[in-house]
Amino acid sequence: MSLKTRIIVYLSILAALTAFAVASAGLGYKIGVFNLQAAFKVLQFGAMAAMAGAGVAFIALLVSVIPAPRAIGAVPLIALILAASAAATPFAMRHQALKAPPIHDITTDTVNPPRFVTVLEKRKEGENDTDYAGEEIAIQQREAYPDIQPLYLSLNKDAAFAVTLDAISRSGWELQAAAPVEGRIEATATTFWFGFKDDIVIRIRQEAAGRSRIDIRSASRVGMSDLGANAARIKKLVKKMEEGAS
């Protein structure tokens, strides 16, 4: 292996490792190495390292094809893709944070939101309260997510309950409670990267003969802003339920 080739490979490996620096932020928090504040610091510095890594990979790529294209060019190209993708991820998260309101509790009924029961003990591990904050966040929710509304299905309560359970199963969430008499279902969704746990409670009521109203609430255990995750989760669940009821 020539000196030029070795330099290209070493620079590419260095650039690719910056992607691991970004990935380690979420992994470290998930397994308990970092607290949330430290994880975000690692993510911030990892993003800067990944930007530098992308620049290094780009230079290595140029060196590999000058003066003539070489097969070794695939190595820095892969490193460039990894580093650039890693650098872009935190900036995409920041962009989403600027777009989403600084709230973490979303519900289809802001006047009388469904109440958590079974997950209350587990939520003590988090930093967010289970009491709904009221009109202060309801205003922000309505402005940001006007389409978060109660779901009405042309099904009786029992059938709507079954459809909801099926939708939760297909969502891959951990079922925490299923109380058909109360019309209450609770579940927990865990995010892939950081392992954040968000809790969902669903209330199903009989509105009229053959018609049910379903209210959904999704709330994060930690963090001031959920980056829009809870609203997106409710929308996806509603879509699954509508598909199941059709």
Side-chain angles (χ1 to χ4, degrees):
M1 185 183 292
S2 68
L3 177 61
K4 175 183 173 182
T5 299
R6 286 200 300 271
I7 291 174
I8 292 170
V9 171
Y10 294 154
L11 288 178
S12 300
I13 291 173
L14 178 63
L17 286 175
T18 62
F20 177 75
V22 173
S24 67
L27 181 61
Y29 175 79
K30 193 173 185 177
I31 63 177
V33 175
F34 309 132
N35 61 26
L36 189 58
Q37 184 177 8
F40 283 143
K41 283 291 185 182
V42 172
L43 185 63
Q44 179 183 359
F45 289 117
M48 291 188 289
M51 288 179 64
V56 168
F58 182 70
I59 293 172
L61 180 62
L62 289 180
V63 172
S64 71
V65 298
I66 297 175
R70 297 284 301 276
I72 196 65
V75 176
L77 178 60
I78 293 172
L80 175 60
I81 293 172
L82 287 173
S85 299
T89 300
F91 287 100
M93 291 174 63
R94 177 174 173 77
H95 177 69
Q96 185 62 31
L98 293 174
K99 286 173 52 182
I103 57 178
H104 54 262
D105 191 348
I106 306 297
T107 177
T108 59
D109 188 344
T110 57
V111 176
N112 180 28
R115 293 184 175 275
F116 293 107
V117 179
T118 303
V119 300
L120 286 178
E121 190 65 30
K122 294 182 178 181
R123 287 188 64 90
K124 289 180 180 179
E125 302 169 3
E127 61 187 37
N128 291 335
D129 198 349
T130 56
D131 291 335
Y132 188 68
E135 191 62 15
E136 179 183 351
I137 68 166
I139 292 172
Q140 296 181 69
Q141 177 186 308
R142 287 194 292 267
E143 291 178 351
Y145 316 115
D147 52 343
I148 297 292
Q149 298 291 334
L151 172 64
Y152 293 90
L153 295 178
S154 298
L155 298 172
N156 62 35
K157 179 181 175 181
D158 291 340
F161 195 93
V163 165
T164 305
L165 282 177
D166 177 67
I168 288 173
S169 176
R170 288 189 287 130
S171 298
W173 303 340
E174 180 185 358
L175 183 66
Q176 301 285 359
V181 176
E182 298 176 39
R184 173 176 53 86
I185 299 173
E186 295 181 61
T188 300
T190 304
T191 63
F192 173 74
W193 185 14
F194 274 78
F196 292 133
K197 292 187 179 296
D198 299 338
D199 297 303
I200 305 96
V201 57
I202 303 164
R203 182 179 62 210
I204 303 167
R205 291 175 172 175
Q206 188 83 33
E207 281 285 297
R211 189 168 188 262
S212 298
R213 168 173 168 159
I214 296 94
D215 281 298
I216 307 166
R217 180 181 177 189
S218 183
S220 304
R221 293 187 188 179
V222 299
M224 178 180 293
S225 173
D226 63 6
L227 308 186
N230 287 300
R233 182 176 297 113
I234 290 176
K235 292 175 187 178
K236 289 178 181 178
L237 181 63
V238 166
K239 185 176 180 180
K240 284 185 171 68
M241 292 170 68
E242 290 175 333
E243 291 171 350
S246 61

